[in-house]
Structures are given as C-alpha cells and as structure tokens.
Amino acid sequence: MSNYDIISVVATWTTPLSDEFWSRLESLNAVATEQSDQEGQGNTIVLGPTLPDDDDPRVAHAAAHSHKEDNEVHWGLSVQPTPQGEPPEEARKQHEKLGGRKGLASLFTEALPSGLPAVGSFRLRLSFAEDRFACAVIPAILEKGSIHDAALHLGRGARLEQVGYRFEGGGASGIEEITLMYEHSKQRFVATVLATGPLKFGSPRWLTFADDIGELVQNTFFSPR
C-alpha cells in the first residue's frame, strides 16, 4: 500500500461542443452568469467543488471552456486533498447541485464521444516524506571532475537536489516527463509527472490512472526507510 501524499492531480481533455449540452452546463455554473460576463469569462463554466464521499476522500473542481471556432469544449479537472474543517455552505450547495462526485462524473461521460477511448493529459504532484522514503537519485553530493564542475566553482558544498527526465516517444504507462525535487526545508521529495492515460470516470475514485502512475514512480525512484 502506498503511503506517499498526493498534492494535486489535474487532468485535461477535449470533447465536441453541443449547444444543448452547453446550456445544461450553464445551469450548473458555480459562478453567476453576470459575474462571468463582467470578468470576460462568459465561455467558461466552473463546476463544483464536489466533496468527499465513501469512496474518495478528496475534493474536486472542474471547468469547461468552449471553443466555438473549433467546435470543442476543453475540460479541466483538479483533485486535491480535502481542507481541514467543515466545508463552506456554498461548497455544499454546489456539491448537491451536481449530484456529488457521481453526478459530475456522469456529466463528463455524457460529453465524451461514444465509441472512442476517454483519454486525457495528466499532471501529478506527489510528496514523499524524507523520514519514510529514500530517493535513488537525489540528493547527490557532487564530485570534482564530473559534469557538475560548474556548480562546484560556486561552492564546494553544492549538492544536486533536482533532476528531470523527458521520455522521447513516450515512457512506461504513458509517462512523458518526470521532475524530482528534494525540498530540504520541508524534508520531503516532490515528484511532478506529466502523462497521458485513461480518464476512467466510471471508477469509484477520481482519476485512478494517477494512482497507478504514483505507484510506478514510488517503486522506480523511492525505497522505504
């Protein structure tokens, strides 16, 4: 069982634009139409948040942006840990208006073209506490005569605390890029991952593909202390 912490998971995807469906979304908009127009965001609809349920303890916010010239809707879904304390009354109202996580997921599914795989672009930020995990690649003490001599010229105590990988042609499980950072002030490692994978809106948790990627990153770069 993983014991890293999820800082955030963001997924984006595109669906065809339907005027009838867009009108339905407008009735669910969390931002008043008048306010959206005043802010110049009349073609953006904010949905949620949805609050935790028995299957998923996180909150989720979504947005839909219409591109009429391309006849497309660009979607974004952000899933994060639930803040401490009771949710604001307005958040409860939005959750109920959408029908909770299942209601929002059904909207996403309805908007997807039938017969085509539901695939999105993912951005994950994961936290690995230093007292629970050791990282295989950072931090690293720099040695003279290596490719890091330039940093050693600035100080003998230079250490490598961030590394990034880009996988040309795609990596395992749809991973495209990974950045690993050691945050010494917070005594943790942060992994930022870009990947492409299935959205799986019918799953009991939001964006379960991100869980699979998190496990893969943990097993590849980290070991328990």
Side-chain angles (χ1 to χ4, degrees):
M1 182 69 179
S2 66
N3 52 0
Y4 60 83
D5 296 314
I6 298 174
I7 301 174
S8 65
V9 178
V10 177
T12 58
W13 67 98
T14 302
T15 63
L17 175 62
S18 161
D19 290 338
E20 180 181 354
F21 186 75
W22 188 258
S23 296
R24 284 183 55 204
L25 291 181
E26 287 179 327
S27 68
L28 299 170
N29 198 351
V31 179
T33 302
E34 295 80 3
Q35 181 181 345
S36 296
D37 292 340
Q38 290 173 2
E39 296 175 355
Q41 298 178 344
N43 57 345
T44 298
I45 290 174
V46 177
L47 301 170
T50 61
L51 302 177
D53 58 22
D54 292 338
D55 295 315
D56 197 323
R58 300 169 294 174
V59 297
H61 297 78
H65 186 80
S66 66
H67 288 242
K68 293 187 176 180
E69 64 278 10
D70 299 321
N71 200 38
E72 291 179 340
V73 178
H74 292 201
W75 296 85
L77 174 65
S78 175
V79 183
Q80 298 174 316
T82 302
Q84 293 184 347
E86 290 296 316
E89 182 60 28
E90 183 59 30
R92 290 183 180 276
K93 291 180 180 178
Q94 294 299 327
H95 175 84
E96 293 173 0
K97 183 165 69 171
L98 286 170
R101 180 181 59 82
K102 292 181 179 179
L104 181 56
S106 68
L107 279 175
F108 296 154
T109 301
E110 185 177 346
L112 290 166
S114 60
L116 295 178
V119 175
S121 298
F122 287 72
R123 184 178 190 272
L124 291 68
R125 295 191 70 231
L126 310 172
S127 174
F128 298 82
E130 187 180 12
D131 63 352
R132 300 203 306 266
F133 291 98
C135 182
V137 292
I138 55 173
I141 298 174
L142 305 185
E143 297 181 358
K144 189 175 181 179
S146 70
I147 60 173
H148 302 293
D149 274 359
L152 290 171
H153 285 310
L154 301 178
R156 293 182 179 179
R159 299 206 312 171
L160 182 67
E161 296 189 346
Q162 181 172 335
V163 64
Y165 304 94
R166 182 170 62 88
F167 303 94
E168 294 186 354
S173 298
I175 293 177
E176 298 161 1
E177 297 183 24
I178 296 179
T179 300
L180 301 172
M181 179 186 296
Y182 173 57
E183 295 185 346
H184 61 271
S185 62
K186 296 183 178 180
Q187 297 184 316
R188 69 176 185 177
F189 304 94
V190 173
T192 302
V193 186
L194 304 183
T196 299
L199 295 164
K200 297 183 179 179
F201 291 130
S203 300
R205 282 171 52 87
W206 283 123
L207 305 175
T208 55
F209 170 73
D211 297 334
D212 298 336
I213 294 298
E215 294 281 354
L216 180 59
V217 170
Q218 175 179 305
N219 294 335
T220 303
F221 292 102
F222 296 94
S223 57
R225 291 191 184 275

